Amino acid sequence: MNIKSPLNKMLGDSIGKNFLAIIVVALVLLILLLFYLRVYTRHNQNIYVPKLEGLQIEEASSILKSKGLNIEITDSIFRKDAVPGAIIEQTPKPNSRVKTGRNIYVSIYSKNPQQISIPELADYSLRQAEALLSSMGFDQLSIEKVPSQYDGLVIAVEYKGRTLRANEKIPAGAPLTLVVGTTQLSDSLNIDNEYIISPHSNVDSGNRTQSPNRVLKENNSTKIDDSFF
């Protein structure tokens, strides 16, 4: 019994030391992990996002750069009454807390209107052409009617007095003129009528005075002037 007692004591001391060492190593690893997470997440280094709406993009970029933040333009909108380059909205919103190096996304008013391609509209009905252009943002449309064999069909689309080519790009929302054919104007102009003016304006065989614009042939029907016989 006396021989086994010192051995048991040594084994117990060894197990205790190993267990204590394991606890110490675990505590050290836990401390190192917490320190790493603190550095990685930049604890207590949050930055309040400033209000950028209404500022010019250059001014906002300088402010964010001084705070360790970046700016990125995600969208631009054109408005005639707006200040070009001014910021409309931002993400994240003002007073939000973010980390250093975060991108702040903004939308601005563009300096130039967006260019939109106008499709070929010849032979479209006036209603179809108006609906299509309206869906594309063109709400300043004027109509010019010209004589045509076909009523209500679009002949051309004009911008600033110039006929547009198919798929030509113009500024969004620009005023356009739709040149539309109409049969009413062609009828009023008597396009199908043929006129023959008498070369003699005063005397005929019966000494009767004739009008200088006497019509001999009209609407494709022949009328013979007896005064020539």
Side-chain angles (χ1 to χ4, degrees), residues 209-224:
T209 302
Q210 297 183 359
S211 169
N213 295 323
R214 185 166 184 174
V215 179
L216 301 183
K217 189 176 182 182
E218 182 175 357
N219 293 330
N220 296 325
S221 62
T222 304
K223 294 183 181 180
I224 301 177

Side-chain angles (χ1 to χ4, degrees), residues 44 46 48 53 65 74 83 100 114 128 138 205:
N44 293 330
N46 290 333
Y48 286 97
E53 297 174 5
K65 188 175 181 179
T74 59
V83 179
T100 303
Q114 180 185 4
Q128 289 176 324
F138 295 94
S205 59

Side-chain angles (χ1 to χ4, degrees), residues 2-229:
N2 293 333
I3 297 176
K4 294 181 178 180
S5 180
L7 180 61
N8 292 335
K9 184 177 180 180
M10 291 177 61
L11 291 174
D13 291 344
S14 177
I15 293 174
K17 290 179 180 178
N18 290 337
F19 183 73
L20 181 62
I22 292 173
I23 293 177
V24 171
V25 171
L27 288 175
V28 171
L29 291 176
L30 180 61
I31 292 172
L32 291 175
L33 179 62
L34 292 175
F35 177 77
Y36 172 77
L37 291 175
R38 183 184 182 91
V39 173
Y40 180 77
T41 59
R42 297 185 178 95
H43 187 65
N44 293 330
Q45 294 185 19
N46 290 333
I47 300 173
Y48 286 97
V49 179
K51 182 178 180 181
L52 305 176
E53 297 174 5
L55 299 178
Q56 287 291 311
I57 189 67
E58 296 82 4
E59 183 181 4
S61 179
S62 299
I63 294 175
L64 293 179
K65 188 175 181 179
S66 67
K67 294 179 176 293
L69 302 174
N70 304 313
I71 192 168
E72 183 174 339
I73 300 174
T74 59
D75 193 16
S76 61
I77 301 174
F78 178 77
R79 270 182 47 183
K80 293 182 179 179
D81 57 345
V83 179
I87 295 176
I88 307 170
E89 57 182 18
Q90 65 183 85
T91 303
K93 296 298 183 182
N95 298 321
S96 300
R97 297 181 66 178
V98 298
K99 305 296 182 181
T100 303
R102 171 72 182 272
N103 284 346
I104 308 300
Y105 303 97
V106 299
S107 299
I108 66 171
Y109 289 115
S110 63
K111 297 181 180 180
N112 298 311
Q114 180 185 4
Q115 298 291 309
I116 297 181
S117 177
I118 302 297
E120 175 62 65
L121 296 178
D123 296 332
Y124 273 57
S125 71
L126 176 58
R127 180 177 299 180
Q128 289 176 324
E130 286 180 320
L132 179 57
L133 291 174
S134 178
S135 68
M136 297 171 64
F138 295 94
D139 53 5
Q140 301 183 62
L141 302 176
S142 58
I143 311 299
E144 179 183 345
K145 293 188 176 182
V146 297
S148 174
Q149 294 180 343
Y150 305 100
D151 192 52
L153 294 184
V154 175
I155 298 175
V157 181
E158 294 184 350
Y159 171 61
K160 291 185 176 180
R162 179 176 58 84
T163 300
L164 296 177
R165 301 184 302 274
N167 299 317
E168 183 175 350
K169 291 185 176 182
I170 62 171
L176 297 175
T177 299
L178 294 176
V179 181
V180 181
T182 176
T183 57
Q184 295 179 356
L185 289 177
S186 60
D187 291 342
S188 65
L189 292 175
N190 294 322
I191 294 178
D192 296 331
N193 295 339
E194 183 180 356
Y195 297 92
I196 300 177
I197 307 301
S198 171
H200 304 287
S201 59
N202 295 322
V203 182
D204 62 4
S205 59
N207 294 325
R208 290 173 294 180
T209 302
Q210 297 183 359
S211 169
N213 295 323
R214 185 166 184 174
V215 179
L216 301 183
K217 189 176 182 182
E218 182 175 357
N219 293 330
N220 296 325
S221 62
T222 304
K223 294 183 181 180
I224 301 177
D225 190 348
D226 294 334
S227 62
F228 284 94
F229 296 90

